């Protein structure tokens, strides 16, 4: 999940607060015109992530706590069924 370290570039904020992301950075992030991205401020810095990359990172974090081969969906369904049986 390591991205190539790119050198910082100066870009302008245009009307409406729009920020133009340089083409090389868009390619590196795997984003194209019309894509939705996630933006947040982290320690005073603006962070832009593609949705697929954010999901990939979230899955990697979850994998630390869930054993390989365990399906969280199946676990949740089984838990709901047990609760329904108790009612």
């Amino acid at each position: 999940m390591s991205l190539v370290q790119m050198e910082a570039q100066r870009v302008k904020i245009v009307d409406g607060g729009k920020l133009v992301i340089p083409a090389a950075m868009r390619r590196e992030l795997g984003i194209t015109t019309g894509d939705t991205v996630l933006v947040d401020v982290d320690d005073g810095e603006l962070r832009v992530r593609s949705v697929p990359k954010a999901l990939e990172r979230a899955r990697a974090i979850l994998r630390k706590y869930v054993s390989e081969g365990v399906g969280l969906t199946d676990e949740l369904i089984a838990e709901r069924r047990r609760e329904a049986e108790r009612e």
Side-chain angles (χ1 to χ4, degrees):
M1 190 172 27
S2 67
L3 296 176
V4 174
Q5 181 67 32
M6 297 191 120
E7 192 171 308
Q9 297 183 31
R10 292 174 68 126
V11 297
K12 287 192 178 205
I13 305 295
V14 297
D15 285 341
K18 296 175 185 168
L19 169 74
V20 178
I21 302 170
M25 290 181 176
R26 291 193 313 270
R27 279 192 301 274
E28 179 65 26
L29 293 171
I31 57 177
T32 59
T33 302
D35 285 353
T36 298
V37 295
L38 299 175
V39 237
D40 60 51
V41 176
D42 183 19
D43 197 23
E45 296 182 353
L46 180 67
R47 184 169 62 167
V48 179
R49 296 172 288 156
S50 69
V51 172
K53 285 290 182 186
L55 288 172
E56 180 182 311
R57 183 166 186 258
R59 287 182 185 120
I61 291 169
L62 281 174
R63 273 294 142 217
K64 293 177 185 177
Y65 304 101
V66 178
S67 302
E68 193 66 37
V70 172
L72 291 179
T73 305
D74 296 333
E75 293 273 324
L76 179 61
I77 291 170
E79 181 180 318
R80 301 295 174 175
R81 287 185 179 144
R82 286 190 299 273
E83 288 174 5
E85 288 171 3
R86 283 187 289 233
E87 292 179 357

